[in-house]
């Protein structure tokens, strides 16, 4: 008893082939979109690799690029199969390729499923890399004369302006780090000397932030220095002031951006899996319908198409027994005559 | 002596009609492109209208939008006409409309050329508008509590960050206006009162700039206050320091941005104009060759196509005389010393009914 069998006449077969051809080309377009999304994600990660310690994992975008290219190739071939299937000569040439092709498509679907899981799980890795990278970026902000780190200030300033954030968790991260280089500190000044000596590690710490933390939407000119000292500024209470500098931390801001990209990638991959499954099912129906034609010379005859030749449970049982015999063939037959005994 | 006469066989005429049909449809697409370019320019100008004074520069994108729409309509009609011209019976339908259509399209291409030239001439008006607008915006920077001006600070700050510029012509423009509101000045402090009193207009001026002028490429943390005072900062000389703040003025930055857009649009419009002109020439040749073919009476015969029937001077002379005679028929006859009321004997014969017998003169005796 075939699993989910349907009857097909000539018109239905032709309609199925045409519909399947269009679905395959839609899948090619989706493959192109996946490919470009992979490239976009890779570029975005590269752009901000400095605040992630150049340590970020490019696994997801690389796999996405590969999957996009594979999808284009496989589905273009599938489209060609559909196009040729209604011509009996071409179909008989293609018949031997059908089974391995469908197995390949199923394997490809498993790969897509894996990629969906990865795109949701790798977000944790991105979060941890960001936390570590931003911590180091803030520490090396002042080192604009050290080769390899001289653009850290520019990158961090641009990130804070672009993502409207300040510091790692919040703006207080800047209070714990010396972000003004010693080159620009007047060591002969008493105030400076006192501050440096009062710190255990000899760092020049102060309760101020760089200009890139300033919020342009604030009604008053930006207050960067002496942030926690209410008396240093007229009509200023740092506990209630929210519009002066950005309140969000950059880790949260950048992570939500990347998380959005990865979630959309996951959603598009799920759609691709559904589309591919539909394509394989359609191709199976089409190929079985063409193979079971009672009279191959008469294209008008009716035929039957199905997903599985036997019932679902029977097919599973068959598969299991095949796997078992495959395993047994590798074992040496115990109790049977050994090949050496026969030779004597 | 016809201008640029070309012989057309039947196959050549048909081919010309088909090619013109395709070219007219391509022109519809270019009309859509013109329309969208005009729309894009309108949106870009509207985005920053707060920074531009009340000059009327919206006429350029409006003209482009109108020209784009009219181009679509005219070329759609042209495509229909050329499609029908392959069949000489269908051509008779369009015969009377074709010459007025060609004249209208010719004047329309002139409009397209004017549109292209306007794109390039907008530069000076835009500079004026930006100069005045930026000056106003900087003056009202501090007025974040006044309705209608409360977002000007945000606009100017985001402008300076995005376009990497400071002030109108340069950062020194900020030294001449009070950009800190009195709400945030401590009037009980002696330095503040001194500074206010020392200024003629009572403004609080200082050599400082807003944070949005800070250059992100600078190796040292941004110096915003006491910019001209070298001793206020360690290892600092304001005459040689060029990486601390953005050096470009915002007027120049915005002008460069818009000029770049305008030049690209102007070039596209010029190319569209050349294309339209060539399509128009083709349609004129098609029209004249089909009319000559009809005059000869044989649909399969060869015919001549030209741009103008007589030479340019003769055509101009005939058109001028037509216009003059139009004018003359409206004038009054001034032969009798200018008095139109003098009775001039009629030179035409009167017709007295079917017998043509003149009536007897009645002598009335009172």
């Amino acid at each position: 008893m075939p699993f989910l069998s349907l009857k097909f006449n000539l018109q239905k077969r032709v309609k199925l082939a045409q519909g399947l051809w269009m679905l395959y080309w839609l899948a090619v377009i989706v493959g192109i979109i996946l490919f470009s999304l992979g490239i976009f994600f890779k570029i975005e990660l590269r752009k901000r690799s400095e605040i992630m310690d150049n340590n970020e994992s490019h696994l997801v975008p690389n796999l996405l690029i590969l999957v996009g290219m594979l999808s284009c190739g496989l589905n273009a071939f599938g489209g060609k199969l559909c196009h040729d299937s209604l011509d009996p000569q071409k179909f008989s040439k293609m018949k031997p390729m059908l089974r391995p092709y469908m197995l390949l498509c199923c394997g490809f679907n498993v790969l897509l499923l894996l990629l969906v899981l990865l795109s949701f799980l790798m977000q944790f890795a991105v979060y941890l890399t960001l936390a570590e990278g931003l911590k180091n970026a803030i520490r090396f902000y002042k080192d604009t004369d050290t080769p390899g780190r001289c653009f850290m200030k520019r990158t961090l300033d641009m990130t804070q302006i672009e993502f409207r954030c300040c510091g790692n968790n919040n703006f207080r991260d800047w209070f714990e780090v010396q972000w003004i280089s010693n080159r620009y500190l007047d060591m002969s000044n008493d105030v400076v000397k006192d501050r440096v000596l009062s710190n255990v590690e000899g760092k020049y710490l102060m309760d101020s932030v760089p200009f890139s933390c300033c919020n342009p939407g604030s009604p008053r000119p930006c207050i960067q220095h002496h942030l926690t000292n209410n008396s240093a500024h007229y009509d200023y209470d740092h506990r209630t002031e929210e519009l002066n500098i950005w309140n969000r931390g950059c880790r949260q801001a950048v992570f939500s951006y990347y998380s959005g990209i990865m979630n959309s990638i996951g959603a598009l991959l799920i759609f691709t899996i559904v589309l591919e499954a539909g394509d394989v099912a359609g191709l199976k129906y089409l190929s079985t319908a063409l193979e079971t034609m009672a009279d191959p010379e008469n294209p008008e005859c009716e035929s039957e198409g199905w997903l599985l030749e036997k019932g679902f449970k029977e097919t599973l049982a068959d598969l299991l027994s095949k796997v078992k015999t495959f395993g047994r063939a590798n074992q040496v037959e115990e109790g049977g005559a050994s090949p050496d005994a026969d030779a004597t | 002596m016809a201008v640029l006469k070309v012989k057309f066989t039947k196959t050549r005429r048909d081919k010309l009609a088909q090619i013109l049909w395709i070219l007219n449809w391509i022109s519809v697409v270019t009309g859509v492109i013109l329309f969208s370019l005009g729309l894009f320019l309108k949106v870009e100008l509207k985005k920053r209208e707060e920074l531009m004074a009340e000059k009327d520069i919206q006429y350029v994108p409006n003209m482009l939008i109108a020209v784009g729409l009219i181009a679509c309509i005219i070329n759609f009609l042209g495509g229909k006409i050329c499609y029908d011209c392959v069949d000489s019976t269908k051509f008779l339908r369009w015969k009377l409309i074709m010459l007025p259509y060609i004249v209208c399209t010719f004047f329309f291409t002139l409009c397209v050329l004017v549109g292209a030239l306007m794109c390039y001439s907008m530069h000076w008006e835009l500079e004026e508008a930006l100069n005045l607008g930026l000056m106003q915006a900087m003056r009202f920077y501090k007025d974040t509590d006044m309705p209608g001006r409360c977002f000007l600070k945000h606009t100017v700050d985001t402008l300076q960050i995005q376009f990497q510029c400071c002030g109108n012509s340069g950062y020194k423009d900020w030294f001449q206006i009070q950009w800190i509101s009195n709400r945030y000045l401590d009037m009980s402090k002696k330095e503040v009162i001194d500074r206010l009193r020392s200024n003629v207009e009572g403004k609080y001026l200082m050599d400082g700039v807003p944070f949005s002028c800070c250059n992100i490429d600078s190796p040292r943390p941004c110096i915003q206050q006491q910019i001209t005072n070298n001793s206020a900062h360690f290892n600092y000389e304001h005459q040689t320091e060029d990486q601390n703040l953005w050096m470009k003025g915002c007027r120049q930055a915005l002008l460069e941005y818009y000029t770049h857009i305008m030049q690209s649009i102007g070039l596209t419009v010029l190319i569209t104009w050349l294309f339209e002109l060539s399509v128009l020439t083709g349609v004129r040749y098609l029209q004249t060759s089909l009319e000559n073919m009809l005059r000869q009476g044989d649909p399969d015969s060869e015919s001549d196509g030209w741009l103008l029937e007589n030479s340019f001077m003769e055509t101009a002379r005939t058109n001028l005389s037509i216009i003059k005679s139009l004018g003359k028929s409206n004038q009054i006859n001034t032969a009798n010393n200018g008095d139109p009321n003098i009775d001039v004997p009629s030179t035409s014969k009167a017709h007295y009914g079917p017998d043509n017998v003149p009536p007897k003169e009645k002598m009335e005796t009172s």
Side-chain angles (χ1 to χ4, degrees):
Chain A
M1 185 56 213
F3 185 63
L4 287 179
S5 72
L6 289 173
K7 282 234 174 293
F8 286 99
N9 57 14
L10 177 70
Q11 253 186 341
K12 271 186 161 181
R13 277 200 298 270
V14 170
K15 265 217 180 106
L16 177 65
Q18 285 174 342
L20 206 57
W21 180 79
M22 288 222 290
L23 265 185
Y24 267 116
W25 280 105
L26 180 66
V28 170
I29 291 174
V30 171
I32 292 175
I33 294 177
L34 281 177
F35 177 76
S36 27
L37 208 58
I39 291 190
F40 167 72
F41 190 35
K42 199 170 173 73
I43 292 176
E44 284 294 308
L45 281 175
R46 262 277 139 92
K47 263 206 285 192
R48 295 186 187 88
S49 60
E50 256 193 300
I51 55 171
M52 295 200 267
D53 256 351
N54 294 322
N55 219 359
E56 75 278 9
S57 165
H58 279 257
L59 181 66
V60 172
N62 288 341
L63 272 182
L64 203 56
I65 290 171
L66 181 71
V67 154
M69 288 198 293
L70 270 179
S71 164
C72 280
L74 278 177
N75 290 313
F77 183 68
K80 187 171 173 336
L81 275 178
C82 287
H83 188 256
D84 291 346
S85 62
L86 291 174
D87 184 353
Q89 272 182 331
K90 287 192 189 158
F91 181 65
S92 50
K93 262 195 278 178
M94 283 181 334
K95 244 203 287 198
M97 289 196 274
L98 271 175
R99 198 174 154 74
Y101 173 72
M102 281 196 271
L103 283 174
L104 204 62
C105 281
C106 290
F108 180 65
N109 264 8
V110 171
L111 178 64
L112 283 176
L113 201 63
L114 204 71
L115 197 52
V116 170
L117 282 172
L118 265 181
S119 71
F120 287 122
L121 291 176
M122 287 297 280
Q123 294 183 20
F124 293 109
V126 169
Y127 187 80
L128 292 171
T129 330
L130 261 179
E132 190 62 31
L134 276 171
K135 199 162 70 147
N136 289 334
I138 291 177
R139 253 180 39 212
F140 302 142
Y141 183 83
K142 65 179 181 352
D143 297 334
T144 46
D145 53 348
T146 313
R149 293 185 202 155
C150 41
F151 289 113
M152 193 63 95
K153 177 182 179 295
R154 179 177 207 273
T155 310
L156 197 50
D157 278 335
M158 280 226 299
T159 308
Q160 293 193 143
I161 290 175
E162 191 182 339
F163 285 93
R164 302 185 197 171
C165 58
C166 189
N168 199 344
N169 293 312
N170 52 35
F171 61 89
R172 284 170 210 273
D173 297 319
W174 289 108
F175 298 174
E176 296 155 18
V177 160
Q178 178 181 352
W179 54 273
I180 301 183
S181 173
N182 284 337
R183 304 196 307 280
Y184 308 117
L185 289 172
D186 184 6
M187 292 304 180
S188 58
N189 191 332
D190 282 331
V191 176
V192 175
K193 263 199 287 201
D194 279 343
R195 204 183 265 270
V196 172
L197 287 170
S198 70
N199 182 266
V200 176
E201 295 161 42
K203 293 200 282 195
Y204 183 83
L205 303 179
M206 41 180 201
D207 54 347
S208 11
V209 292
F211 78 94
S212 43
C213 282
C214 285
N215 184 352
S218 165
R220 81 184 288 170
C222 186
I223 293 170
Q224 285 176 251
H225 305 284
H226 308 295
L227 278 169
T228 47
N229 185 359
N230 285 348
S231 49
H233 316 279
Y234 182 66
D235 193 16
Y236 173 70
D237 186 0
H238 77 273
R239 280 167 290 248
T240 55
E241 185 68 54
E242 315 179 307
L243 282 176
N244 184 38
I245 51 176
W246 300 119
N247 289 319
R248 210 159 52 143
C250 284
R251 185 200 314 166
Q252 178 60 35
V254 181
F255 174 67
S256 60
Y257 174 69
Y258 280 123
S259 161
I261 294 181
M262 290 174 101
N263 284 338
S264 352
I265 288 176
L268 190 63
L269 281 170
I270 291 176
F271 172 73
T272 313
I273 290 177
V274 170
L275 192 63
E276 286 282 336
D279 280 338
V280 171
L283 189 64
K284 180 73 174 174
Y285 270 121
L286 186 64
S287 58
T288 46
L290 286 170
E291 278 167 7
T292 59
M293 277 204 292
D295 183 9
E297 301 301 313
N298 177 19
E300 300 271 334
C301 69
E302 282 212 350
S303 61
E304 207 182 343
W306 54 70
L307 273 182
L308 297 169
E309 198 161 350
K310 307 177 185 145
F312 189 61
K313 286 195 189 137
E314 288 178 35
T315 322
L316 263 178
D318 268 346
L319 263 173
L320 276 170
S321 59
K322 255 194 217 158
V323 170
K324 274 193 201 152
T325 48
F326 188 68
R328 247 185 240 148
N330 285 341
Q331 286 176 7
V332 171
E333 277 282 327
E334 294 171 359
S338 66
D340 285 334
D342 268 341
T344 51
Chain B
M1 185 54 214
V3 176
L4 294 176
K5 195 162 33 161
V6 178
K7 267 215 177 316
F8 282 101
T9 58
K10 174 147 175 58
T11 39
R12 269 181 110 189
R13 273 200 303 271
D14 289 344
K15 252 212 188 123
L16 181 66
Q18 281 171 347
I19 292 174
L20 281 177
W21 176 71
I22 296 174
L23 285 182
N24 267 307
W25 275 104
I26 296 177
S27 289
V28 173
V29 171
T30 54
V32 169
I33 292 175
L34 270 184
F35 174 78
S36 34
L37 280 176
L39 213 61
F40 167 72
L41 187 62
K42 200 172 173 74
V43 165
E44 280 293 311
L45 285 175
K46 260 230 144 38
K47 265 204 284 191
R48 296 196 179 88
E49 63 175 350
E50 275 179 317
L51 302 167
M52 297 188 211
E54 287 292 324
K55 287 237 178 235
D56 187 22
I57 39 174
Q58 286 288 345
Y59 69 91
V60 178
N62 290 340
M63 171 102 177
L64 282 175
I65 290 173
V67 160
L69 278 175
I70 296 176
C72 282
I73 297 170
I74 281 186
N75 287 309
F76 181 72
L77 184 65
K80 183 108 185 47
I81 292 176
C82 290
Y83 188 70
D84 285 344
C85 278
V86 181
D87 189 353
S88 46
T89 45
K90 283 193 193 157
F91 169 65
L92 290 167
R93 252 197 296 172
W94 296 109
K95 188 158 131 38
L96 288 171
I97 302 181
M98 262 188 111
L99 187 59
Y101 167 79
I102 288 174
V103 172
C104 278
T105 314
F106 180 69
F107 284 117
F108 171 69
T109 46
L110 284 179
C111 287
V112 173
L113 184 64
V114 165
L117 293 174
M118 274 209 282
C119 285
Y120 290 108
S121 68
M122 205 181 95
H123 175 93
W124 291 277
E125 292 201 21
L126 191 61
E127 181 157 14
E128 246 324 284
L130 277 174
N131 195 15
L132 287 172
L134 279 171
M135 210 157 60
Q136 294 279 78
M138 280 166 57
R139 257 188 32 219
F140 301 141
Y141 182 86
K142 65 177 179 355
D143 297 332
T144 46
D145 54 345
M146 260 186 238
R149 292 186 201 153
C150 43
F151 287 113
L152 221 45
K153 176 182 181 295
H154 183 255
T155 311
V156 172
D157 278 335
T158 34
L159 172 75
Q160 295 192 139
I161 292 175
Q162 192 187 343
F163 283 85
Q164 299 185 345
C165 60
C166 187
N168 199 346
S169 325
Y171 65 86
K172 300 203 184 182
D173 295 325
W174 288 109
F175 298 173
Q176 291 152 3
I177 53 167
Q178 178 182 351
W179 54 273
I180 300 184
S181 173
N182 284 339
R183 305 198 305 283
Y184 307 117
L185 289 173
D186 189 0
M187 297 300 182
S188 58
K189 274 214 184 128
K190 193 171 171 302
E191 305 106 44
V192 177
I193 297 183
D194 278 345
R195 203 182 266 269
L196 279 170
R197 286 225 188 100
S198 67
N199 180 265
V200 177
E201 297 161 40
K203 292 200 282 191
Y204 185 84
L205 303 179
M206 49 180 201
D207 54 349
V209 292
F211 78 92
S212 42
C213 281
C214 287
N215 187 346
I216 54 178
D217 296 320
S218 167
R220 82 184 286 170
C222 188
I223 292 169
Q224 289 175 246
Q225 318 287 354
Q226 296 175 314
I227 293 172
T228 47
N229 184 359
N230 284 350
S231 50
H233 315 280
F234 182 64
N235 195 12
Y236 172 69
E237 204 185 300
H238 80 273
Q239 288 101 340
T240 53
E241 183 70 52
D242 61 347
Q243 276 195 314
N244 183 39
L245 305 171
W246 300 121
M247 286 288 135
K248 214 196 286 201
C250 285
R251 185 184 68 233
Q252 187 196 348
L254 275 175
L255 206 58
E256 277 174 9
Y257 173 70
Y258 279 117
T259 308
H260 179 70
I261 293 180
M262 299 305 293
Q263 279 177 347
S264 330
I265 293 181
L267 191 65
T268 314
V269 177
L270 269 179
I271 293 176
T272 310
W273 173 70
L274 285 171
F275 190 67
E276 289 270 346
L277 212 56
S278 53
V279 172
L280 182 65
T281 316
V283 172
R284 173 66 175 166
Y285 271 120
L286 186 68
Q287 181 232 351
T288 45
S289 66
L290 281 170
E291 281 191 349
N292 284 334
M293 172 211 78
L294 278 179
R295 232 178 271 167
Q296 290 170 2
D298 180 13
D300 292 331
S301 64
E302 269 198 7
S303 62
D304 288 332
W306 51 62
L307 283 179
L308 292 169
E309 187 157 2
N310 308 309
S311 71
F312 188 65
M313 299 307 299
E314 280 185 45
T315 322
R317 237 178 278 145
T318 31
N319 284 337
L320 274 171
S321 57
I322 291 173
I323 296 172
K324 269 192 205 155
S325 58
L326 263 175
K328 257 196 210 138
S329 62
N330 287 338
Q331 283 178 7
I332 299 164
N333 196 350
T334 55
N336 297 312
N337 300 326
D339 189 352
N341 285 328
I342 290 180
D343 187 27
V344 177
S346 168
T347 49
S348 61
K349 278 195 158 215
H351 198 261
Y352 301 101
D355 299 339
N356 207 7
V357 174
K360 289 198 178 93
E361 279 186 33
K362 286 190 184 161
M363 298 272 279
E364 280 200 7
T365 44
S366 54

